[in-house]
Amino acid sequence: PLGRLQTNNLGLKHQFFPLLRFAVLPISHYSVPHKPLARWNNMLRLTRYHLGHLWRLIASGAAILLAIIWLQQSLRFVDLIVNRGLSAWDFFWLTVQLLPSMLMFILPLAALVGTSLALKQWRDDNELDALYACGFGRPQLARAVIWAGCGVVGLGLLNNLYLAPLSKTAFKDTQDSFRQERSIQLLSTGAFNPLSDDLTLYLASRQRDGSLKGLMIHDHSTPGTPTTWFASAGAMTLTSQGQLRLTLDHGLRQTLTPAGLQEISFARHTLDINIAPPPTGPRWRDADERTWPELAPHLASHPADASKYLAERHKRLLWALTPLPLMVWAAWCLLPRYKNRRAQAWRMAAAIGFGLLYQGLLVTTHNAAEHGSQAALYGQWLLPLSTFALAWWGLNQPRLHHPRLAPV
């Protein structure tokens, strides 16, 4: 039993932080043996306070990491705007569809970093010392971490099982749409663009109205008689059959024959480009594009695909559950059994370093599981289970005083 606490004896009557209002004063006002609900009510207040702090830091860390990785991935598509005439809205929509897939790997790391920063701030502000003095143990202080971890796990399950496959499918469909319907815009200026296996186009520049300047087309579809077209201007359109039609103005045609070089000048010439027609049936989707019911192993057309489907199922569950053991691990590292500020930086480095090692092991075991390794497929579940069990066992050990330091 806590009994009655006198705040004057703690020396914190008017100078302590706002947490004292709901952590110390209510306990000193009520007698715990006669009013057991008082401690429970104060525990709920403390948990809500810590939950709000944890959620703010986790959300901030996830937003920062997501923005950094999104910017890095978006640099691959900048060329579509600069040199290929893609609109800013299409570029934005194309890159935004990558966010749920990134969030699958960012959310565990953001949860770990946010929890570590929150616990460090509680230690720096002496909140933990006050709560220890009020009779709270480490498992009680870690309660908010566990609740926050359950919330992050729920968000991860929603993202991994529903949002990520849908966004990846939309991203691939948008890419195919750009290749088929907007192939004219995707032509690079100042470079050789392969239009088919036998046809190559060089484009000097593109005007704002869509017209082309400085064209050279080389056709080697007929063995022994390659043909090259030169034109000062031209235009490219898409026919109703999905084929490209190139109109050349004021140019020259050169054909190399066994008899010699033949040249023909023209004022206008139309060239139909026989490219592969767009697929009429549904596009084959990879494992990361499929929803949870579509990843059933019996739906695979090949045994290798069945291994990928099963590994993808385990991957989505494991990455969604990863934040909880990592957050409890951070609580174990940063809620030590004894007080020693000099080791705080090492504890934080150990928490974050183990999180990076943990994610690296998950990626390694997933790659092995995709190739049919049953040991890696089921052995990877030992990572979250053993991490959570070890961290929770450590949190339930009684606090000790450092042998070389004075008691708290």
Side-chain angles (χ1 to χ4, degrees):
L2 294 178
R4 295 178 178 272
L5 294 179
Q6 298 295 329
T7 57
N8 290 336
N9 295 336
L10 294 175
L12 303 171
K13 184 174 182 180
H14 299 294
Q15 302 158 1
F16 210 67
F17 41 82
L19 179 64
L20 188 64
R21 294 200 304 270
F22 55 82
V24 177
L25 293 180
I27 298 179
S28 64
H29 183 71
Y30 297 101
S31 177
V32 174
H34 301 289
K35 293 195 179 283
L37 292 179
R39 182 184 176 97
W40 175 252
N41 292 334
N42 288 286
M43 195 69 230
L44 290 179
R45 290 184 181 182
L46 179 65
T47 302
R48 287 197 300 267
Y49 167 78
H50 284 166
L51 273 176
H53 195 194
L54 283 168
W55 274 113
R56 286 194 298 271
L57 289 177
I58 292 173
S60 301
I64 293 173
L65 292 175
L66 198 61
I68 293 174
I69 298 181
W70 176 79
L71 180 61
Q72 180 184 8
Q73 295 294 323
S74 299
L75 293 178
R76 300 183 304 167
F77 305 100
V78 171
D79 181 66
L80 298 178
I81 292 181
V82 177
N83 296 325
R84 305 194 181 188
L86 193 67
S87 65
W89 169 253
D90 291 334
F91 169 79
F92 176 76
W93 177 243
L94 182 67
T95 53
V96 162
Q97 291 170 351
L98 294 172
L99 293 181
S101 300
M102 300 177 191
L103 194 61
M104 179 187 299
F105 307 100
I106 290 175
L107 200 57
L109 185 59
L112 173 63
V113 174
T115 304
S116 302
L117 292 177
L119 293 170
K120 179 181 181 300
Q121 185 172 348
W122 298 346
R123 169 66 70 181
D124 293 341
D125 293 342
N126 294 321
E127 294 186 18
L128 297 181
D129 296 338
L131 294 173
Y132 287 147
C134 294
F136 292 103
R138 293 191 300 165
Q140 294 171 310
L141 297 180
R143 183 178 301 176
V145 175
I146 295 177
W147 280 110
C150 293
V152 177
V153 167
L155 181 61
L157 288 173
L158 174 64
N159 178 77
N160 297 358
L161 301 182
Y162 183 73
L163 298 179
L166 292 183
S167 66
K168 197 62 177 293
T169 302
F171 174 77
K172 293 293 185 66
D173 291 341
T174 305
Q175 275 190 325
D176 289 347
S177 172
F178 288 157
R179 292 192 184 103
Q180 296 171 10
E181 301 177 6
R182 308 188 183 188
S183 55
I184 302 173
Q185 296 181 0
L186 299 181
L187 294 175
S188 298
T189 58
F192 291 92
N193 300 272
L195 300 180
S196 64
D197 295 336
D198 302 322
L199 202 64
T200 304
L201 167 68
Y202 177 85
L203 177 62
S205 63
R206 182 190 294 109
Q207 304 301 314
R208 291 184 178 273
D209 58 357
S211 60
L212 310 177
K213 299 292 184 182
L215 294 95
M216 184 188 73
I217 302 98
H218 181 71
D219 181 12
H220 55 90
S221 57
T222 304
T225 57
T227 303
T228 304
W229 288 269
F230 299 93
S232 60
M236 185 176 290
T237 57
L238 193 66
T239 64
S240 58
Q241 291 78 20
Q243 303 297 317
L244 291 177
R245 177 168 294 171
L246 187 60
T247 303
L248 305 178
D249 297 328
H250 307 291
L252 176 68
R253 172 184 173 180
Q254 294 181 344
T255 304
L256 183 61
T257 63
L261 183 63
Q262 298 179 357
E263 295 185 354
I264 300 177
S265 299
F266 57 86
R268 170 163 290 193
H269 180 75
T270 301
L271 182 64
D272 290 331
I273 303 174
N274 296 321
I275 60 176
T280 56
R283 181 179 57 85
W284 174 261
R285 292 181 296 166
D286 295 331
D288 56 353
E289 302 177 58
R290 297 178 177 269
T291 59
W292 184 264
E294 295 173 341
L295 288 174
H298 68 273
L299 297 178
S301 58
H302 192 272
D305 293 333
S307 300
K308 291 182 179 180
Y309 289 178
L310 193 58
E312 182 68 21
R313 276 191 165 188
H314 285 257
K315 170 189 171 183
R316 294 183 187 180
L317 289 178
L318 277 171
W319 280 96
L321 297 175
T322 289
L324 181 58
L326 290 185
M327 293 172 69
V328 178
W329 178 272
W332 179 36
C333 293
L334 297 172
L335 293 175
R337 300 181 68 187
Y338 54 83
K339 180 180 178 180
N340 184 4
R341 292 182 181 273
R342 291 175 294 181
Q344 187 174 358
W346 290 102
R347 294 193 193 102
M348 193 166 183
I352 297 178
F354 176 80
L356 297 176
L357 177 63
Y358 180 104
Q359 293 192 354
L361 289 175
L362 272 188
V363 173
T364 304
T365 53
H366 172 69
N367 292 336
E370 277 191 332
H371 291 84
S373 175
Q374 296 295 317
L377 180 65
Y378 297 102
Q380 59 187 346
W381 284 94
L382 292 176
L383 281 172
L385 297 178
S386 59
T387 301
F388 183 86
L390 178 61
W392 186 247
W393 173 83
L395 284 172
N396 282 274
Q397 299 303 306
R399 295 185 71 243
L400 300 176
H401 300 300
H402 196 280
R404 296 184 181 179
L405 299 176
V408 178

